[in-house]
Amino acid sequence: MSMHELNRILNTKEFQSKDTLKKQLTELGIYAGDHIMVHSSLSSMGWIAGGPQAVVEALLETVTETGTIVMPAQSADNSDPSYWMLPPVPKEWHQPIRDHFPAYDPHLSPLREMGKIAECLHRHPHTVRSPHPAHSFIAWGKNAAEWMKDQPLEDSFGEGSPLGKMMKAEVKIVLIGTGFDSCTPLHYAEFMQKDRKTLPQGAAVMIDGKRVWQPYDCVEMDSDRFPEIVQDFDGEIFEGKLGMAKTLVVEMRPLVEFGILWLKIHPAPEE
């Protein structure tokens, strides 16, 4: 057992299991047939018997196949190396990286900084992953195949994306130990701005069976502003716990529609 795992046991007040989580999910208002978009931090939940598997099974068994579970599954490594800063790579490597980086594969491309819970759901045999090389989602359940089917390269979080389809449904955002700066659905509000700015980007993808480096324009995004949107939002945000983690639940469509108007009134300051 690692020291990190030992510290999580010592800092957890009571024994926690899948059954604990299922009871808490019900208390949070999550039921069979719900469609949920989950952002999560396993470390914030304390020690749980079974770790991420227990969390994923609790979600699956609570929502059931009559509902849908969606999580961000971004793979930001598949991007233009000229923007890489953590760490940067030598400039002379930029073109070789564009020439040799493996094409996006929904099964093989790793998730980057999405957390152990999302990585666990990604391994489920019935999970479907959307096709965007950098901004993909994973989904399980009733609407997984339909919502994950399309995701245009230049509209990764817009009307043609999984978020666009989810905006037509009743979806609950569930933040487990994370803040609203991690709330991926609010990127939809950025993509809906008429004066949105873009940056040249690129990714390795498969086109007609051939691996290519595909340039595209990517909308500039700033999730640091999301807490400001939420601060002005007057809709209901339910707060509870999952494990030991502070957990927030909010209806997706009202929040995102408010975000669209808020960003229109409060455009990003000019640099």
Side-chain angles (χ1 to χ4, degrees):
M1 180 180 294
S2 68
M3 286 299 297
H4 180 68
E5 192 80 356
L6 178 60
N7 286 333
R8 284 173 61 193
I9 292 175
L10 295 175
N11 292 329
T12 302
K13 308 301 182 184
E14 298 177 356
F15 176 78
Q16 300 186 130
S17 67
K18 180 172 69 175
D19 290 341
T20 310
L21 302 179
K22 290 171 71 173
K23 180 175 182 293
Q24 290 176 314
L25 284 166
T26 300
E27 292 169 352
L28 285 162
I30 307 300
Y31 306 110
D34 278 349
H35 308 300
I36 60 174
M37 160 71 87
V38 179
H39 302 70
S40 59
S41 164
L42 181 66
S43 61
S44 70
M45 298 178 73
W47 189 85
I48 301 162
Q53 180 180 346
V55 179
V56 168
E57 288 188 6
L59 291 168
L60 301 181
E61 293 173 18
T62 298
V63 170
T64 77
E65 292 182 353
T66 63
T68 314
I69 300 168
V70 182
M71 297 184 188
Q74 298 175 35
S75 45
D77 286 346
N78 195 350
S79 60
D80 196 285
S82 62
Y83 297 113
W84 294 1
M85 293 296 153
L86 296 170
V89 294
K91 189 174 181 179
E92 61 269 23
W93 290 11
H94 290 181
Q95 191 55 47
I97 288 171
R98 297 183 190 110
D99 293 340
H100 295 282
F101 200 95
Y104 171 75
D105 183 293
H107 306 290
L108 297 179
S109 294
L111 284 58
R112 181 175 179 182
E113 297 180 357
M114 296 291 102
K116 292 183 177 180
I117 295 170
E119 290 174 357
C120 184
L121 182 65
H122 182 217
R123 294 191 292 270
H124 193 288
H126 295 154
T127 291
V128 182
R129 190 174 182 184
S130 65
H132 199 280
H135 299 150
S136 66
F137 295 87
I138 50 176
W140 175 95
K142 181 178 180 180
N143 294 324
E146 176 60 28
W147 287 354
M148 299 298 108
K149 184 169 59 177
D150 304 304
Q151 194 172 10
L153 202 56
E154 296 189 350
D155 194 33
S156 56
F157 295 135
E159 285 188 284
S161 75
L163 291 180
K165 296 170 188 172
M166 294 169 69
M167 284 292 289
K168 298 178 176 69
E170 300 298 323
V171 178
K172 297 174 181 178
I173 298 168
V174 182
L175 303 174
I176 306 169
T178 66
F180 278 98
D181 54 344
S182 300
C183 184
T184 308
L186 283 171
H187 286 307
Y188 181 91
E190 295 180 303
F191 273 65
M192 291 298 101
Q193 302 305 306
K194 290 183 178 179
D195 58 348
R196 64 190 196 181
K197 298 177 182 177
T198 62
L199 289 171
Q201 188 51 272
V205 296
M206 295 294 292
I207 298 180
D208 297 328
K210 183 180 179 182
R211 181 263 179 218
V212 299
W213 182 263
Q214 181 63 51
Y216 67 99
D217 290 327
C218 182
V219 172
E220 281 195 70
M221 294 173 278
D222 183 7
S223 59
D224 290 342
R225 305 193 76 201
F226 292 174
E228 296 179 60
I229 295 173
V230 175
Q231 187 173 357
D232 291 342
F233 177 63
D234 61 2
E236 184 177 7
I237 300 175
F238 189 83
E239 181 177 331
K241 281 189 174 295
L242 198 58
M244 292 176 58
K246 175 182 175 181
T247 300
L248 304 171
V249 180
V250 61
E251 295 287 343
M252 174 174 160
R253 188 162 54 211
L255 175 63
V256 175
E257 287 177 346
F258 177 81
I260 293 171
L261 294 175
W262 191 95
L263 288 172
K264 185 177 180 180
I265 297 169
H266 305 88
E270 295 291 337
E271 294 183 359

